[in-house]
Amino acid sequence: MQVEVRRSQGERREQTQRALVSAARSLFAEKGFAGTSTPEIVAAAGVTRGALYHHFADKLALFEAVLEQEHLLVSMSVNAASGNDDEPGPIKALLAGCDAYLNAMQDSGRRQIMLVDAPAVLGRAKVDEIDARHGMETLVCGLRDAMDVGALRKVPVEALAQLFGAMFDRAALAAPEDVADYRKSIKALIRGLKT
C-alpha cells in the first residue's frame, strides 16, 4: 500500500519558485540576462509561463531573486572564512574574507550575474542595496573592528568599505591567471593600512 503525501499550497509555491530561480540562474550564468528568454526559463524549470508570472512580475524580478541568492551564497562563504579561527585577529579575518570572496567569484556564471549583468540590468543603486544586505555590512564591520582595536588606521569606514568592495570586484573580474597578482596587491594594501 502506497501512501500519497500531499504537499500544501505553500510547499508547492516554494518548490515552483525554487525551480524557477534555479533554472534562471543556470541560464543567466550561461547566456547572460539579455540572451535568456522567459520561454527557456519555464522550459528548464518544468513549469508554465503562467506559473512564472504568478511568482515573479517579469524576467527582471526573477533576475533580482537570482542576484539576491548569489549575494547570499557569497556572503555565507566570506562569513565562514572570516570566522574559521578561534582568535584570527582583525587583519587576518579581513584577508581571509578577501580570499573567500575571490574564491567564490571564480564561478564564471556568478561573475556574469553579479558583476556584468546586475549593474547594467538593475542599476548601480539596486545592486548596492542588495549588496548592503549581504557582503557590504560584513566588510564594514570587519574594517570597523580592525580600527576599533587599533589594527588599522582610522579613516572613514564606509568610504573605505566601498573602495575595498570595488577593488574586490575588479579582482574578481581578472583573468584566472592574474587573480594571484590581485590577491597579493590587495593584501599589500590592507597591510599598508596597519597602524
Side-chain angles (χ1 to χ4, degrees):
M1 180 170 143
Q2 198 172 23
V3 177
E4 185 178 317
V5 177
R6 295 182 57 130
R7 292 177 291 149
S8 71
Q9 179 68 20
E11 290 170 326
R12 287 191 303 275
R13 181 174 38 252
E14 191 175 302
Q15 182 180 8
T16 301
Q17 287 175 340
R18 273 196 315 268
L20 284 163
V21 169
S22 177
R25 194 275 183 208
S26 294
L27 289 164
F28 292 149
E30 178 187 342
K31 301 171 78 174
F33 178 82
T36 300
S37 69
T38 55
E40 288 175 297
I41 294 169
V42 297
V47 301
T48 66
R49 199 162 180 171
L52 168 66
Y53 293 113
H54 176 74
H55 294 282
F56 298 97
D58 52 19
K59 184 172 93 166
L60 191 64
L62 179 56
F63 180 79
E64 188 175 330
V66 169
L67 179 64
E68 189 86 40
Q69 178 178 283
E70 290 299 305
H71 272 272
L72 177 62
L73 293 171
V74 170
S75 179
M76 289 168 59
S77 295
V78 170
N79 287 334
S82 297
N84 67 358
D85 287 343
D86 289 335
E87 289 294 327
I91 301 297
K92 191 172 177 185
L94 282 169
L95 295 173
C98 169
D99 280 339
Y101 176 78
L102 292 176
N103 290 341
M105 294 305 290
Q106 291 311 295
D107 178 320
S108 62
R110 179 170 284 151
R111 285 193 308 272
Q112 177 69 39
I113 291 165
M114 292 178 67
L115 301 178
V116 176
D117 283 342
V121 172
L122 297 173
R124 184 82 255 157
K126 187 63 170 176
V127 172
D128 287 348
E129 176 188 315
I130 292 169
D131 187 34
R133 288 195 291 272
H134 301 290
M136 187 53 65
E137 183 59 27
T138 301
L139 183 53
V140 168
C141 289
L143 290 169
R144 186 174 289 125
D145 289 348
M147 288 177 200
D148 288 348
V149 299
L152 286 183
R153 281 185 237 149
K154 289 209 182 255
V155 295
V157 71
E158 297 284 339
L160 186 61
Q162 291 294 328
L163 288 170
F164 274 25
M167 177 174 61
F168 296 156
D169 287 351
R170 179 60 191 95
L173 286 168
E177 63 273 11
D178 295 333
V179 172
D181 288 341
Y182 278 87
R183 286 180 197 267
K184 288 177 191 172
S185 298
I186 290 170
K187 288 176 182 183
L189 287 170
I190 291 172
R191 289 183 178 126
L193 287 170
K194 289 170 69 171
T195 54

